[in-house]
């Protein structure tokens, strides 16, 4: 059996937990919108056509923010197509996913859905095929109160009050050659800076996200961020980061260590941004919006991609297993560990498309395995993120070298006194004993609740016919004894342990 330990102290904080870390993503892609969040003929559909079973699962998931409407889709999107009488809305080609977009759901419908889900909207602008004027138009429609043409148009469409969106993404993945309107770093940086400057003329307190690299494996990674930020540094608040992970060539060991790559990605973007800030002699510290991340079996998609022009075709509807859920849990640990710089993040996507929630048209909705670590982390991570340095054995990986078998982060809520430990065991065959001295908290703590995601079959999945095949269960035997938390972690497992003060 493996052995791991780390010490917790409330004095060693990283940053407060940001609720925006638990964001999601709704793109007009595949069945995310149509037969995902929206299906007027579904038995659970409300008067606006939204599936109430999906709404309930979204709330249970603990989503704070939703990025909309894309994604690659946004770089060819005309927002005006999705307002006004539905019967008058045009059907358009979506070049990104070779689909047909009916525009049955647009800004006003989505904002109503967001209100019902209780989420903040992070709105992505089209800077692929459009520019400053169109960005100002959609900003006016969304946020201006009245008396202008577009504000009055919004009011005539049923939204009397402005939507008050405060966070805008200045385009999407424009470093990628696949992106409609792909640009060089200089071309994009100039456009993003001018768009940001114009938008701030109307609303100075907006939070604006510049496009970072679409992947750390891009040949222009870091150079793209450096050039874009030299042009936009004073006008933006965030630089974006996107990353997806999958097991390559059956290499589960490297796959379980995916958070090592995410850590490196974040540290690299932080260093680049800070270097630009120093060069510009700025005291401002940019934040990172990690607004696309997840497990995605990308090589499988690239091998089977279809290009038929359909409405809401099934696209990248990956079925997730236990190992995938453990990796998702470890990526959340990485995001929390960097809460001093990563203050917004969006798991891509919410429904059906590489998603924690799956649906059948006219039928059931269910939780995929990756739903559980996200929902539990969102619910339990409160207060301040604590610095954790586990002492644990390591193992050799083909992609990332020597990697610790145990990874963890913890949070402490000063108001309630609760401490929550989030931990993964990456070993594929050995359990691990975990010991965490708690003397720094100065009061007796006891185990309040424990959860673990593990199965004897790491390839087990949830399906429409067996939606609860994989569910979190109690981490048996976790105790606080003599001022130490002690627990046994199963192989390939993610666990959360909440401690509270004794009465």
């Amino acid at each position: 059996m493996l052995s791991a330990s780390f010490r917790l102290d409330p004095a060693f904080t990283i940053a407060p937990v940001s609720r925006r870390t638990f964001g999601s993503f709704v793109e007009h892609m595949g069945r995310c919108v149509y037969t995902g969040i929206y299906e007027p003929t579904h038995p659970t559909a409300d008067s606006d056509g939204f599936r109430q079973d999906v709404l309930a699962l979204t709330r249970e998931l603990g989503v704070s923010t939703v990025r909309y409407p894309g994604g690659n889709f946004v770089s060819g999107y005309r927002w005006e197509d999705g307002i006004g009488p539905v019967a008058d809305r045009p059907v358009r080609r979506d070049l990104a996913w070779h689909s047909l977009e009916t525009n049955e759901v647009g800004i006003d419908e989505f904002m109503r859905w967001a209100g019902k889900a209780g989420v903040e909207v992070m709105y992505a602008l089209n800077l692929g095929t459009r520019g400053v004027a169109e960005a100002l138009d959609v900003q006016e429609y969304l946020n201006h109160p009245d008396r202008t043409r577009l504000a009055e148009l919004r009011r005539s469409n049923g939204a009397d009050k402005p939507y008050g969106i405060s966070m805008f993404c200045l385009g999407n993945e424009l470093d990628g050659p696949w992106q409609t309107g792909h640009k060089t770093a200089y071309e994009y940086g100039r456009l993003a800076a001018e768009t940001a400057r114009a938008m701030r003329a109307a609303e100075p307190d907006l939070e604006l996200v510049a496009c970072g690299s679409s992947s750390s494996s891009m040949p222009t990674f870091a150079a793209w961020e450096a050039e874009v930020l030299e042009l936009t540094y004073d006008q933006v608040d965030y630089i974006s980061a996107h990353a997806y992970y999958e097991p390559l060539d059956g290499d589960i060991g490297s796959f379980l260590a995916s958070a090592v790559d995410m850590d490196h990605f974040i540290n690299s973007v932080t260093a680049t941004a800070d270097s630009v800030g120093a060069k510009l002699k700025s005291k401002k510290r940019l934040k990172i919006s990690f607004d696309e991340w997840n497990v995605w079996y990308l090589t499988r998609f690239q091998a089977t991609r279809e290009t038929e022009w359909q409405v809401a075709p099934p696209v990248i509807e990956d079925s997730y297993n236990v190992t995938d859920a453990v990796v998702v849990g470890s990526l959340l640990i990485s995001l929390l560990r960097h809460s001093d710089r990563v203050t917004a993040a969006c798991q891509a996507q919410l429904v059906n498309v590489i998603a924690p929630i799956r649906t059948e048209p006219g039928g059931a909705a269910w939780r995929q395995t990756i739903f559980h670590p996200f929902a539990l982390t969102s619910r339990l991570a409160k207060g301040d993120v604590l610095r954790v340095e586990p002492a644990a054995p390591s193992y050799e990986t083909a992609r990332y070298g020597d990697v610790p078998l145990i990874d963890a982060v913890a949070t402490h809520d000063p108001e309630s006194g609760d401490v929550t430990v989030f931990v993964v065991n990456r070993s594929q065959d050995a359990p691990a004993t975990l010991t965490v001295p708690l003397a720094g908290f100065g009061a007796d703590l006891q185990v309040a609740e424990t959860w673990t995601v593990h199965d004897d079959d790491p390839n087990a999945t949830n399906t429409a016919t067996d939606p609860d095949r994989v569910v979190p269960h109690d981490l048996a035997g976790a105790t606080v004894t003599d001022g130490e938390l002690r627990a046994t972690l199963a192989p390939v497992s993610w666990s959360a342990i909440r401690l509270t003060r004794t009465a």
Side-chain angles (χ1 to χ4, degrees), residues 478-495:
T479 62
V480 174
T481 305
D482 298 328
E484 291 183 341
L485 167 64
R486 299 173 186 173
T488 300
L489 311 173
V492 190
S493 67
W494 171 93
S495 303

Side-chain angles (χ1 to χ4, degrees), residues 142-164:
L142 289 165
N143 286 358
H144 200 78
D146 53 29
R147 294 179 298 164
T148 69
R149 185 182 73 84
L150 292 174
E152 291 300 326
L153 180 59
R154 182 199 68 243
R155 296 180 71 197
S156 71
N157 288 333
D160 184 59
K161 294 181 179 180
Y163 291 121

Side-chain angles (χ1 to χ4, degrees), residues 85-218:
V86 172
D88 296 339
R89 298 180 189 180
V91 175
R92 298 278 192 188
R93 296 179 304 173
D94 169 27
L95 299 179
W97 305 113
H98 281 238
S99 304
L100 296 180
E101 172 55 51
T102 67
N103 287 296
E104 192 173 349
V105 171
I107 283 176
D108 296 307
E109 288 81 13
F110 186 77
M111 293 305 299
R112 284 199 293 274
W113 179 87
K116 295 177 183 190
V119 300
E120 176 190 15
V121 173
M122 178 194 301
Y123 192 84
L125 299 165
N126 176 0
L127 291 189
T129 57
R130 307 191 109 180
V132 177
E134 293 88 350
L136 290 174
D137 283 349
V138 71
Q139 179 195 16
E140 180 183 330
Y141 186 87
L142 289 165
N143 286 358
H144 200 78
D146 53 29
R147 294 179 298 164
T148 69
R149 185 182 73 84
L150 292 174
E152 291 300 326
L153 180 59
R154 182 199 68 243
R155 296 180 71 197
S156 71
N157 288 333
D160 184 59
K161 294 181 179 180
Y163 291 121
I165 291 177
S166 63
M167 194 171 188
F168 287 85
C169 299
L170 300 171
N172 175 76
E173 292 187 355
L174 286 155
D175 65 316
W178 59 85
Q179 198 71 209
T180 306
H182 163 63
K183 293 172 172 54
T184 66
Y186 179 80
E187 290 168 339
Y188 169 71
R190 287 282 296 121
L191 176 58
E194 292 308 317
T195 303
R197 190 174 287 110
M199 294 178 73
R200 288 196 191 280
E203 296 179 275
D205 295 331
L206 292 177
E207 296 176 83
L208 302 178
V209 184
C211 284
S213 295
S214 50
S215 163
S216 62
S217 64
M218 292 294 289

